[in-house]
Every structure is written in C-alpha cells, then in structure tokens.
Amino acid sequence: MSELRWRAFQRVPWVWSTWERIWLRFHPLTPISDGSLLAVRRTGRSLELHLDSAALERMRRERGYSTFRAVHRMREDLAALAARLRRGDFPGAESVHGKTLMGEAGAVLGFHTRVAPRNLANAFQQYFQVGLDAVHHPRGLRANAKRRWPVEIWMTTEELLERYSDKSESERGVADPTSRRERKS
C-alpha cells in the first residue's frame, strides 16, 4: 500500500504544485524578508513557520548550492524575524512553530524538536511535504525522502530573540558571505 501512493505521485506530480497554490491562496504567508527561504503565518499568539518551496528551488539551482548554505540562509532569516519582532511587526506573538521533514536543521537552528505522532493527519502531512520536495528537487522523488517523517519544531519568541540577538553576525561567530566576496575581488 505504501508504494502505491508514491506511484500516484509519479503519475501526477503537478497536483502538489496546484495543491500548494490553493492552500496559499486561503492561508497567505508573510515572507520574513526579500529573498528569504522562510515565511510566517499568524495563528493566534503564534507564528507558523513555512519554507518557501519556490525560493528553495531557485537556491538549489544556484552555483555552489549546499544544504549548509540553505541552513545558513535560514539562520539569516530567523535573525531577520527576530529583528522584525523587536520592531513590533508581530505584536503579541509568543512562539514560532512548524512541521518539517528537516528536523535536524530545526535543532541546528535552535528549535525544540519532537517527532510528530503517527496518525492519519501527519501521514497526510508527510505525503504532502515529500511530494513538494520531489516537485522542487532536481533529482525528484528520492527513496530516502519517502522514509522521512514530520518533526514538530518550536521555540518561544523570547528564545528566538535571545538566540538571534541584534548583535552583528561577526559577533555571533557567523561568517558574513559578502565580506568574503569583497576580499576575492
């Protein structure tokens, strides 16, 4: 039964892109900044974190793409989100949360993580996320992606503000990619 659902994906992969467009029409997202990989959606006192599939696809096509670069960009996006919270862009937000197939990246970025419960809703979420990844990934549907299960990630806005303080990246020990480009010139 498990392989049957993946065969359905291989026959009609356009369904995932259409599904995403419909979902976004009814649940619009706010990009964290121009060109960011992450966007948020307000859900009560929380910000639901989303990965912009199209932005990630564009980044994957860039020369020198690596998962490490994507995680670095996400770290920059979270610093930008912290700056927006400090400016008061999301008043009353108490936490940031999401569901992802990239639980390890969530932990590296400072989120608390837990494997999502095995239930029908999360099986549906897994199918949707793996399908979107396959639509946007240059190698399409991969066997290891089909085995991933959603992970819940979260942190309080206090934790986000503390982790992504308004110190410069060099003070936080994060290399500034523009300074490297300037040195090469």
Side-chain angles (χ1 to χ4, degrees), residues 6-177:
W6 300 116
R7 273 192 247 136
F9 170 81
Q10 290 168 335
R11 284 190 168 57
V12 288
W14 56 267
V15 169
W16 274 254
S17 299
T18 304
W19 183 359
E20 181 182 38
R21 279 194 301 277
I22 291 169
W23 190 90
L24 289 173
R25 183 161 191 101
F26 291 102
H27 302 95
L29 301 176
T30 303
I32 291 175
S33 62
D34 289 339
S36 67
L37 290 179
L38 300 175
V40 293
R41 181 171 77 96
R42 187 77 186 246
T43 57
R45 295 190 153 292
S46 188
L47 296 175
E48 190 176 82
L49 196 61
H50 290 267
L51 180 66
D52 183 336
S53 302
L56 181 60
E57 179 181 9
R58 284 189 301 276
M59 186 179 190
R60 283 175 170 159
R61 282 186 272 163
E62 291 174 6
R63 186 173 178 188
Y65 169 79
S66 72
T67 303
F68 296 109
R69 277 188 62 205
V71 171
H72 180 75
R73 173 91 58 89
M74 288 178 204
R75 186 174 281 125
E76 291 171 350
D77 292 349
L78 291 171
L81 178 59
R84 290 187 68 180
L85 284 164
R86 279 187 203 87
R87 282 194 314 260
D89 288 359
F90 302 103
E94 296 176 356
S95 66
V96 179
H97 70 93
K99 255 187 206 171
T100 180
L101 297 176
M102 301 184 302
E104 297 86 8
V108 166
L109 295 169
F111 286 92
H112 304 279
T113 64
R114 142 180 101 199
V115 175
R118 295 243 175 218
N119 58 34
L120 187 59
N122 288 325
F124 189 65
Q125 184 84 23
Q126 183 234 14
Y127 191 52
F128 175 66
Q129 288 184 352
V130 170
L132 269 183
D133 178 64
V135 165
H136 294 291
H137 196 282
R139 287 183 288 173
L141 184 61
R142 300 169 328 269
N144 64 339
K146 293 189 289 187
R147 290 189 294 271
R148 289 196 231 147
W149 188 256
V151 173
E152 297 169 344
I153 61 170
W154 72 96
M155 79 169 69
T156 66
T157 52
E158 285 178 9
E159 290 171 315
L160 180 77
L161 292 171
E162 185 178 313
R163 178 172 285 277
Y164 298 95
S165 67
D166 54 2
K167 297 177 188 174
S168 71
E169 288 188 337
S170 61
E171 291 174 41
R172 285 197 323 254
V174 177
D176 181 7

